[in-house]
């Protein structure tokens, strides 16, 4: 576990910095003379045709529907690994981050709905502030280096992974657009094939990836979001093989591609919001305000309250060397919604460009404020010097 955690933490912190750079470049291009070039690039059509199968989409949708399916495949692999042998493998380990994630999804949605009660057009965006961006959050945390207890990093990692799983379930249940039963049946048959491969203990990744591609096409055509195929494939690739782990092998291969190509491309394609014609009144309207308050207030409120109640009622225990002050600081850091929040906003307001832009601005502002506030709080509550036993563990990891 320590070797996997070492690579993951190092990669996620670097990926967080790269995401920021990609988002800033997109914002710069969208609000300068390069705006036309930016839009033309995103609207470039790419066609894949095999006999009667015809996929003809602009680059933006290939990134959001195709490349993000690969990212969600990685999420599925990570969630499965953590559930089998990692931070979620026992009830004692899983209870605190699971309850924290539930609170961290419930309260942001409630705050959003409260601030958008009189705006029916905005209601579809209720799920936007429920997500936590694991790359950004870990990236900010890692700026404090050895001062951060290892247990606190693992808690954030587990919470964010469960949060991602919750966001995936929300996407499946609430953001599908008209179901094509034929395509859904084809996808179901592909999933049955993946389950058979898993039960037969087939360790070769090629048949899984081929069937996974068929499931992706079927889900894409069915009306459900294509990224769900990635999660399903991730859960059905076996963790244990005869001589090696197919799941871990694929996870190790995909990690750098997702961290340094797919997620930065997603940020570049989706963070370029034009500020032209947007007044301060628009920026402070109920949609962006609901998202900002959901991320900045709802996230820490839900996470901390559920953690406090769980510990006080005896359902969970705080990780060793971690106190409630550190938990609260991390809960503020979890208000960085960026990647998943932008992704959900693209689904919620797919046909409403003005609302989509306002939502993304709310995400960028809420995530930025959460990052700064979370960093400052962590810097304040963490010890100036890491304890000796933590120093030894950290040295072994890094």
């Amino acid at each position: 576990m320590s070797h996997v955690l070492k690579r993951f933490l190092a990669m996620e912190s670097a990926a967080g910095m790269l995401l920021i750079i990609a988002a800033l470049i997109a914002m710069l291009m969208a609000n300068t003379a390069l705006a036309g070039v930016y839009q033309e690039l995103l609207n470039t059509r790419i066609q894949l045709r095999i006999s009667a199968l015809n996929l003809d989409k602009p680059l933006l949708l290939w990134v959001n529907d195709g490349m993000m399916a690969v990212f969600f495949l990685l999420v599925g692999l990570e969630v499965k690994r953590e559930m089998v042998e990692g931070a979620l493998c026992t009830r004692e380990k899983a209870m605190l981050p699971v309850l924290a994630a539930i609170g961290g999804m419930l309260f942001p949605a409630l705050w959003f709905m409260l601030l958008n009660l009189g705006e029916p057009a905005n209601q579809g965006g209720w799920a936007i502030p429920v997500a936590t961006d694991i790359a950004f959050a870990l990236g900010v945390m890692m700026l404090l280096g050895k001062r951060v207890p290892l247990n606190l990093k693992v808690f954030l990692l587990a919470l964010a992974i469960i949060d991602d799983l919750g966001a995936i379930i929300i996407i499946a249940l609430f953001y599908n657009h008209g179901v094509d039963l034929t395509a859904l049946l084809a996808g179901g048959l592909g999933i049955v094939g993946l389950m058979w491969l898993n039960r037969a203990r087939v360790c070769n990744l090629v048949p899984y990836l081929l069937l996974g591609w068929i499931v992706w096409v079927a889900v894409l055509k069915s009306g459900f979001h294509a990224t769900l195929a990635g999660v399903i494939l991730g859960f059905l690739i076996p963790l244990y093989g005869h001589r090696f782990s197919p799941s871990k092998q694929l996870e190790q291969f995909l990690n750098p591609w997702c961290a340094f190509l797919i997620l930065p491309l997603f940020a570049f394609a989706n963070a370029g919001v034009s500020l032209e014609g947007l007044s301060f009144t628009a920026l402070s309207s109920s949609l962006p305000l609901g998202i900002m308050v959901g991320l900045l207030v709802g996230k820490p409120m839900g996470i901390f309250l559920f953690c406090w109640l769980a510990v006080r009622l005896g359902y969970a225990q705080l990780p060793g060397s971690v106190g409630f002050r550190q938990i609260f600081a991390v809960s503020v850091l979890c208000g960085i919604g960026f990647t998943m929040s932008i992704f959900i906003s693209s689904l919620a307001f797919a046909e409403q460009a003005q609302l989509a832009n306002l939502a993304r601005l709310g995400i960028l502002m809420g995530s930025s404020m959460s990052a700064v506030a979370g960093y400052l709080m962590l810097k304040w509550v963490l010890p100036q010097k890491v304890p000796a036993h933590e120093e030894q563990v950290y040295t072994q990891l890094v």
Side-chain angles (χ1 to χ4, degrees):
M1 173 62 187
S2 61
H3 184 54
V4 173
L5 186 62
K6 167 189 169 182
R7 289 198 315 273
F8 187 86
L9 291 174
M11 192 170 296
E12 290 298 310
S13 60
M17 299 302 104
L18 192 57
L19 275 175
I20 295 173
I21 294 171
L24 289 174
I25 292 173
M27 285 292 290
L28 182 66
M29 291 186 70
N31 291 280
T32 62
L34 295 172
V37 176
Y38 179 73
Q39 290 301 324
E40 186 176 345
L41 178 62
L42 296 184
N43 290 325
T44 301
R45 299 199 72 83
I46 300 173
Q47 184 179 32
L48 173 63
R49 185 163 187 168
I50 303 175
S51 185
L53 175 64
N54 183 28
L55 299 176
D56 185 3
K57 296 176 176 290
L59 177 62
L60 175 62
L61 291 184
W62 277 107
V63 171
N64 289 352
D65 293 344
M67 288 189 172
M68 287 301 284
V70 178
F71 167 70
F72 277 86
L73 165 58
L74 179 62
V75 171
L77 294 170
E78 290 172 346
V79 171
K80 180 177 180 177
R81 172 172 52 78
E82 293 297 328
M83 290 176 67
V84 174
E85 61 180 30
L88 306 174
C89 66
T90 65
R91 179 187 177 278
E92 292 76 16
K93 288 183 177 181
M95 188 57 67
L96 190 66
V98 165
L99 292 174
I102 292 171
M105 290 185 283
L106 180 63
F107 275 70
L110 290 175
W111 273 106
F112 179 91
M113 296 297 287
L114 182 65
L115 292 170
N116 286 272
L117 281 177
E119 301 290 342
N122 299 348
Q123 297 295 316
W126 65 271
I128 293 172
V130 306
T132 293
D133 190 303
I134 188 170
F136 265 147
L138 276 174
V140 173
M141 178 179 274
M142 294 296 279
L143 293 175
L144 293 164
K146 296 180 181 180
R147 290 179 59 190
V148 184
L150 180 62
N151 285 332
L152 194 61
K153 295 173 186 174
V154 174
F155 171 74
L156 173 61
L157 172 62
L159 193 162
I161 287 174
I162 298 165
D163 197 289
D164 278 349
L165 187 59
I168 291 163
I169 294 170
I170 288 171
I171 291 169
L173 294 177
F174 299 102
Y175 293 101
N176 57 76
H177 304 287
V179 178
D180 184 321
L181 293 179
T182 303
L184 196 62
L185 177 61
L189 291 174
I191 293 170
V192 170
L194 288 169
M195 293 172 66
W196 181 85
L197 290 173
N198 183 288
R199 289 183 64 84
R201 298 188 179 277
V202 174
C203 293
N204 191 323
L205 285 170
V206 173
Y208 288 99
L209 297 179
L210 287 174
L211 268 178
W213 183 80
I214 293 171
V215 172
W216 174 79
V217 174
V219 174
L220 179 67
K221 295 290 188 180
S222 73
F224 287 93
H225 202 273
T227 51
L228 298 174
V231 182
I232 294 168
L233 177 59
F235 270 96
L236 291 176
I237 291 176
L239 185 62
Y240 302 118
H242 302 298
R243 295 185 302 274
F244 68 98
S245 167
S247 178
K248 289 181 181 178
Q249 183 184 57
L250 185 58
E251 183 182 344
Q252 291 170 12
F253 174 78
L254 290 179
N255 242 319
W257 288 100
C258 288
F260 301 115
L261 178 65
I262 292 175
L263 288 182
L265 270 177
F266 174 82
F268 174 77
N270 290 275
V273 181
S274 175
L275 302 178
E276 184 180 357
L278 289 178
S279 62
F280 178 78
T281 303
L283 293 177
S284 59
S285 61
S286 58
L287 177 58
L289 186 63
I291 294 169
M292 284 189 287
V293 172
L295 291 171
L296 191 60
V297 178
K299 269 288 181 184
M301 181 183 292
I303 291 171
F304 184 78
L305 179 61
F306 272 50
C307 283
W308 186 84
L309 287 173
V311 173
R312 286 289 179 258
L313 296 175
Y315 293 115
Q317 292 181 337
L318 289 175
S321 71
V322 173
F324 278 118
R325 294 199 307 167
Q326 288 94 337
I327 292 291
F328 183 75
V330 167
S331 70
V332 174
L333 202 60
C334 287
I336 305 174
F338 196 71
T339 304
M340 288 295 287
S341 293
I342 289 180
F343 185 69
I344 293 173
S345 73
S346 70
L347 302 179
F349 303 118
E351 306 297 329
Q352 300 159 293
Q354 181 71 6
L355 291 179
N357 282 341
L358 286 173
R360 288 171 187 171
L361 284 172
I363 294 165
L364 294 173
M365 290 188 287
S367 296
S368 300
M369 289 187 285
S370 295
V372 173
Y375 172 79
L376 292 175
M377 286 186 183
L378 273 175
K379 189 175 182 181
W380 179 50
V381 302
L382 290 176
Q384 292 299 315
K385 186 177 181 181
V386 69
H389 68 282
E390 287 280 351
E391 174 78 35
Q392 183 179 1
V393 174
Y394 190 91
T395 302
Q396 290 172 355
L397 282 174
V398 181

